Every structure is written in structure tokens, then in C-alpha cells.
Amino acid sequence: DVQLGETTVEANRVEDCHQGVAVESDGAYASTVQVANNTVGNSVVDGMFVEYGGGQVDVFHNTIVRPSVSYEGTAVHVLSGTVAVDNNILVFHITGIGVDAGTVSEDWNLFYGTADDTSGTVTSGGNSWLDDPELVDLAGGDYHLQESSPAVNAAPCVGVRRDFESDPRPLAAGCDIGADEFIAGRIYLPLIVR
């Protein structure tokens, strides 16, 4: 038998797939899972899927997007488990956080273009809001924050010390929401493939 302690799913880029990131367990072993600093773009069904009977799942500082208004899928879909969903950017899904069963809390999330921010039983900390996250190039897959983004310095830190590119977090008064920690003066050049 393998028994896991703490597990981290961190700094992954998942694009154009059926289901972005899935955290599943039958509950045989209790452990804490942290899903942090991931970017998930254009998943068909769910950006993140949690069916976890083995302990706490923390979904922190992720950017889960669809490139245009399509109202398909759920950004974070919880079938079961104890899940905290904090400091995430959730864009263009039918539902931002959908819960079938389990104990789910959310706080400091930035929703944009979702038909419903939450569905099912979700305990809110009251600090999430609706606004354009002002990503550099949503349609082109560049999920860095622009300097004018409402996500910059917008949330308290939740123990995630680096962003998806290993930049330190925080860089200013607060942590940035989503996978990216904005750095002033950085220029992002487009990727050119031959």
C-alpha cells in the first residue's frame, strides 16, 4: 500500500482537453492536496474536477478560462470532498464553482463571463466579485495579468509563495489573484513557432 501525505499539483499548463485537472480518491488514505498556480484553458467539460474522500483539497491561485463566451462547462466542479477555492480567476464557463456534494468554501475569486458564479452549496467569504481580469491575450493563451488588472494586489496571501513561473508572491501589498503574480516593467513577447 502507498500512503500519501501532502500532495501538490502546481504550475501546470493544460490546454484544449476534455477535463483540465482532476483530483480523485476513494478516501482510503487521508491527505491534503493543494492545486495551485495552474492555468487551464479551453477544457470541454470542467477546468478542475474534484471527487475526493481522503482529506482537504485547496484550489488556490489558478487561472481557469475559456477563450470566448461559450457558457460551457464548469470552472471548478466538486462532486465530493472538503474543498477550499480561493484566489482564482474563473472566466467564461456556465458555472464558476459547481458543487454536487461535499463541503466547499470560496473567497477572493474573480469571476468573469459566467452564467452562474456558484451552484450547489458553497460557503462564501464574501470577497469574490465579477470583473474583467484583463489578461494579456485571453484568445491567444497568454494568461499573464496586465498592470491595470483588478486582480493585481487584490487578495490576502494563502500560503502560496511563488506563481506559475516561480516569481515570488507577493511582490507588493497583497497577492495577485490567479496563477500569475504581476511584475511591473516585464514585457511579454508572443511565441513564434516555425
Side-chain angles (χ1 to χ4, degrees):
D1 286 349
V2 175
Q3 187 169 358
L4 299 175
E6 292 188 15
T7 303
T8 302
V9 179
E10 184 173 31
N12 295 285
R13 181 179 178 105
V14 181
E15 293 286 329
D16 299 317
C17 62
H18 184 73
Q19 192 169 55
V21 175
V23 178
E24 299 178 80
S25 168
D26 63 5
Y29 300 105
S31 68
T32 299
V33 176
Q34 185 179 73
V35 182
N37 291 329
N38 298 285
T39 61
V40 179
N42 205 27
S43 58
V44 175
V45 180
D46 301 317
M48 290 195 182
F49 173 85
V50 179
E51 185 173 20
Y52 196 73
Q56 174 77 29
V57 178
D58 295 327
V59 178
F60 294 160
H61 288 288
N62 298 283
T63 300
I64 306 171
V65 302
R66 298 187 60 80
S68 62
V69 177
S70 61
Y71 295 123
E72 296 178 23
T74 300
V76 179
H77 187 180
V78 179
L79 260 64
S80 64
T82 302
V83 184
V85 183
D86 296 341
N87 295 21
N88 299 282
I89 294 175
L90 310 173
V91 176
F92 291 143
H93 289 82
I94 291 174
T95 305
I97 303 167
V99 179
D100 294 354
T103 304
V104 180
S105 65
E106 73 82 22
D107 208 4
W108 299 100
N109 295 295
L110 182 55
F111 297 95
Y112 183 63
T114 53
D116 295 304
D117 299 337
T118 63
S119 70
T121 303
V122 179
T123 302
S124 176
N127 296 299
S128 296
W129 73 99
L130 301 166
D131 204 349
D132 183 344
E134 298 184 35
L135 303 174
V136 169
D137 185 2
L138 177 60
D142 187 344
Y143 307 138
H144 290 94
L145 300 173
Q146 295 182 47
E147 186 170 10
S148 58
S149 171
V152 174
N153 299 324
C157 298
V158 290
V160 178
R161 298 290 177 215
R162 300 223 171 254
D163 77 355
F164 76 122
E165 298 173 308
S166 293
D167 295 328
R169 188 187 294 270
L171 288 173
C175 280
D176 297 351
I177 295 175
D180 182 38
E181 188 75 10
F182 175 77
I183 297 178
R186 182 180 278 179
I187 298 172
Y188 298 101
L189 300 175
L191 175 66
I192 298 172
V193 179
R194 290 185 192 203

